[in-house]
């Protein structure tokens, strides 16, 4: 077969690349050996958010008494919870299905593909020579190199959905977004949960805001063990045992490895195609072109970050460069990220520490708490804040939000930063009252308060007042 574009991997990046090229009239071949929709639909974003929703409902029932609604302890039907998770996947699946993409004109081949030379890909039954290729094979959960752990076949973010009963005591290795989200969800559904993190949990986020989430985990009964390195794992007592570096043992019924992900590069024939790799995945430039100029990398495999919306953006970048003549760099768009715990944690741009390292003393910050947001007070959820990181000339370098609906609120900042906007632009829109989204305007206003209501402003107001 001959094609304009050959894509390997039907996750977010591969699907965006395939559909866009096909809609532009290009002949597209898409290889996928696993499930259409990739990790996000089948093991990541969709099932985890469905599980988190069930856990949140249980929490709302459990804590409804504080609003004068007395219900009592909820009864968890884990089989029904699993059915809800499966139902969410099935409802979204048609968007990513083979039938839909074939309807767009994409030739979908459900086989494992590999390069056999720099311009040809082959599977068991097909051989495709294409003008351009997109590698979008993603990443998989990494099992940390703890002695004895691999022999226990720990749960991962892919296999945890196969559980038929609620874990009695879930030991989670890793205090990043996946570990914290799943840990909180299972705790709220009734499992005893221990999260073990070798460093600080949620270390990539603003420390004060991460602390808000960690306090919520603890309030939900999660035993959060930070700065605790696991040295050995073994079976015992009908479950698992983990030995920490300080000699302590932790015992549980199940263990979940949530300590990062690793790129899927083996079996792709990359050396035959002249494509270089490193620890992060496939080596590529800012336009996602690999060391084989015919081949682009997109999504997690590109080593630029592991987010579904980033993978979708990568697909768009490739289409812009190939078929619209727009020299778009993947780094040209600020990419938000969110942790879907309760409360959620969201960020875009630089943390204060990173901004000061890059820009020195030309960095200022402004913040506003949800404890001074009327909607948050009415909802009985005043914990959290918004924090702005501001550079020279009012440049908006970073926005960080923790609190109810933080993942939605950060999109306001995303739109502003995408256009290169400054902090002043956050003060200009008139927000409906009362809403949590007002918090960004209030934080931006706090940044300007010393100027707007300072000594010069008072003198100017006095002068104008004398003539009116």
């Amino acid at each position: 077969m001959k094609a304009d574009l050959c894509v390997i991997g039907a996750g977010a990046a591969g699907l965006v690349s395939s559909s866009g090229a096909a809609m532009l009239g290009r002949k597209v071949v898409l290889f996928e050996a696993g499930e259409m929709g990739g990790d996000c639909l089948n093991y990541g974003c969709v099932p985890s958010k469905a599980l988190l929703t069930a856990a949140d409902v249980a929490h709302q029932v459990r804590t409804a008494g504080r609003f004068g609604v007395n219900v009592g302890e909820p009864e968890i039907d884990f089989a029904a919870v699993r059915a809800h998770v499966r139902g969410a996947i099935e409802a979204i699946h048609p968007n990513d299905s083979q039938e839909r993409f074939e309807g767009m004109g994409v030739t979908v081949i459900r086989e494992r593909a590999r390069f056999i030379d720099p311009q040809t890909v082959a599977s068991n039954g097909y051989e495709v020579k294409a003008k351009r290729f997109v590698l979008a094979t993603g990443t998989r959960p990494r099992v940390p190199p703890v002695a004895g752990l691999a022999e226990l076949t720990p749960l991962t973010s892919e296999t945890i959905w196969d559980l038929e009963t609620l874990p009695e005591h879930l030991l989670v290795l890793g205090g990043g977004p996946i570990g914290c989200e799943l840990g909180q969800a299972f705790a709220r559904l009734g499992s005893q949960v221990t999260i073990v993190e070798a460093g600080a949990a949620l270390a990539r986020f603003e420390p004060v805001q991460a602390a808000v989430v960690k306090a919520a985990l603890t309030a939900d009964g999660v035993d959060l063990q930070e700065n605790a390195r696991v040295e050995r794992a073994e079976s015992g007592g009908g479950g698992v045992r983990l030995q920490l570096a300080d000699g302590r043992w932790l015992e549980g019924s199940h263990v979940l490895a949530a300590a990062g992900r690793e790129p899927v590069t083996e079996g792709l024939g990359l050396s035959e195609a002249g494509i270089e790799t490193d620890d992060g995945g496939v080596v590529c430039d800012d336009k996602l072109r690999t060391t084989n100029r015919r081949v682009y990398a997109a999504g997690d495999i590109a080593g630029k970050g592991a987010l579904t919306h980033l993978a979708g953006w990568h697909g768009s970048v490739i289409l812009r460069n190939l078929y619209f003549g727009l020299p778009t760099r993947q780094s040209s768009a600020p990419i938000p990220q969110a942790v879907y715990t309760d409360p959620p944690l969201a960020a875009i741009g630089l943390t204060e520490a990173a901004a000061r390292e890059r820009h020195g003393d030309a960095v200022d910050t402004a913040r506003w708490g949800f404890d001074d947001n009327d909607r948050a007070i009415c909802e009985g959820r005043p914990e959290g804040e918004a924090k702005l990181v501001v550079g020279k000339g009012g440049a908006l370098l970073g926005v960080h939000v923790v609190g109810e609906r933080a993942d939605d609120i950060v999109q306001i900042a995303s739109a502003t930063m995408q256009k290169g906007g400054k902090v002043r632009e956050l003060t200009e829109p008139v927000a409906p009252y009362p809403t949590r989204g007002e918090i960004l305007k209030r934080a931006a206003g706090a940044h300007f308060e010393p100027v707007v209501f300072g000594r010069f402003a008072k003198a100017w107001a006095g002068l104008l007042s004398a003539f009116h």
Side-chain angles (χ1 to χ4, degrees):
M1 301 172 64
K2 291 185 177 180
D4 293 303
L5 185 69
C6 178
V7 180
I8 304 177
L15 294 181
V16 169
S17 303
S18 300
S19 60
M23 292 171 70
L24 290 168
R26 301 302 89 202
K27 185 176 181 180
V28 181
V29 176
L30 171 63
F31 284 94
E32 175 55 64
E35 297 291 336
M36 294 288 290
D39 182 76
C40 180
L41 173 62
N42 298 288
Y43 313 112
C45 315
V46 172
S48 65
K49 303 312 166 282
L51 183 74
L52 286 165
T53 300
D56 182 62
V57 171
H59 178 72
Q60 294 300 325
V61 171
R62 191 176 288 119
T63 60
R66 65 196 182 101
F67 297 107
V69 180
N70 297 304
V71 181
E73 183 66 20
E75 180 180 339
I76 306 300
D77 182 346
F78 193 63
V81 171
R82 292 184 70 217
H84 164 66
V85 171
R86 288 194 303 272
I89 296 172
E90 291 167 1
I92 298 172
H93 177 264
N95 293 328
D96 297 348
S97 67
Q98 179 173 341
E99 293 76 16
R100 178 169 183 256
F101 279 78
E102 288 177 338
M104 295 180 185
V106 178
T107 299
V108 181
I109 300 174
R110 302 300 292 275
E111 297 180 8
R112 192 172 304 279
R114 67 193 183 281
F115 283 93
I116 58 175
D117 64 44
Q119 57 183 350
T120 311
V121 158
S123 66
N124 287 340
Y126 296 87
E127 188 173 297
V128 178
K129 189 179 295 290
K131 294 179 181 178
R132 295 289 184 269
F133 298 85
V134 174
L135 270 174
T137 52
T139 56
R140 63 183 165 222
R142 182 180 70 89
V143 176
V146 173
L149 182 61
E151 289 75 14
L152 296 179
T153 314
L155 295 168
T156 68
S157 56
E158 291 183 354
T159 61
I160 197 167
W161 312 110
D162 298 330
L163 287 175
E164 296 183 357
T165 58
L166 195 66
E168 181 180 343
H169 187 173
L170 182 63
L171 303 176
V172 181
L173 300 184
I178 294 174
C180 289
E181 287 180 10
L182 293 180
Q184 185 179 47
F186 278 98
R188 287 184 165 186
L189 290 172
S191 296
Q192 185 178 347
V193 175
T194 300
I195 297 177
V196 187
E197 168 56 50
L202 301 172
R204 292 180 297 175
F205 295 86
E206 288 285 343
V208 170
Q209 297 193 352
V212 174
V213 175
K214 289 188 276 189
L217 293 173
T218 301
D220 283 328
V222 174
D223 179 14
L224 181 57
Q225 299 275 341
E226 296 184 280
N227 301 307
R229 190 175 74 255
V230 178
E231 291 195 337
R232 175 173 295 279
E234 61 182 42
S235 59
V240 294
R241 303 174 72 229
L242 303 178
Q243 186 179 35
L244 304 183
D246 61 10
R248 289 182 297 143
W249 286 88
L250 301 175
E251 297 187 3
S253 60
H254 300 74
V255 60
L256 167 66
R261 300 179 67 83
E262 59 188 15
V264 179
T265 57
E266 73 279 0
L268 293 173
L270 300 185
S271 59
E272 286 82 352
I275 299 171
E276 295 181 7
T277 63
D278 58 19
D279 291 341
V282 172
V283 176
C284 57
D285 62 20
D286 206 23
K287 292 182 180 179
L288 303 173
R289 183 172 282 181
T290 71
T291 49
N292 178 337
R293 307 301 285 175
R294 292 177 178 270
V295 182
Y296 290 77
D300 296 6
I301 195 70
K304 312 293 186 183
L307 299 165
T308 297
H309 46 285
L310 175 60
W313 166 241
H314 282 178
S316 177
V317 168
I318 292 170
L319 294 173
R320 292 177 186 212
N321 280 280
L322 287 182
Y323 303 124
F324 289 95
L326 300 174
T328 306
R329 295 173 290 108
Q330 69 87 28
S331 63
S332 63
I335 305 298
Q337 55 184 321
V339 182
Y340 298 92
T341 47
D342 181 21
L345 178 62
I348 184 170
L350 300 176
T351 62
E352 179 183 353
R356 293 195 183 281
E357 183 177 341
R358 185 177 302 183
H359 301 285
D361 294 335
V363 172
D364 194 11
T365 63
R367 57 204 326 151
W368 200 269
F370 279 114
D371 58 354
D372 197 8
N373 176 275
D374 292 357
R375 181 62 176 271
I377 293 170
C378 291
E379 293 175 339
R381 295 295 305 273
E383 67 277 7
E385 64 164 18
K387 177 178 180 179
L388 311 181
V389 181
V390 184
K392 187 176 180 180
L396 199 55
L397 302 178
V399 176
H400 307 268
V401 187
V402 63
E404 187 77 12
R405 293 191 290 283
D407 47 326
D408 289 323
I409 293 170
V410 81
Q411 294 182 56
I412 301 171
S414 179
T416 302
M417 292 178 68
Q418 174 68 37
K419 297 178 180 180
K422 299 185 177 183
V423 64
R424 179 178 178 179
E425 294 184 23
L426 292 178
T427 69
E428 294 173 352
V430 178
Y433 172 87
T435 56
R436 285 180 173 265
E438 294 176 90
I439 196 167
L440 291 186
K441 182 171 183 173
R442 298 298 296 271
H447 172 73
F448 290 107
E449 187 171 324
V451 175
V452 175
F453 300 104
R455 184 172 60 181
F456 176 80
K458 291 178 180 178
W460 182 247
L463 180 63
L464 292 178
S465 180
F467 293 96
H468 291 280

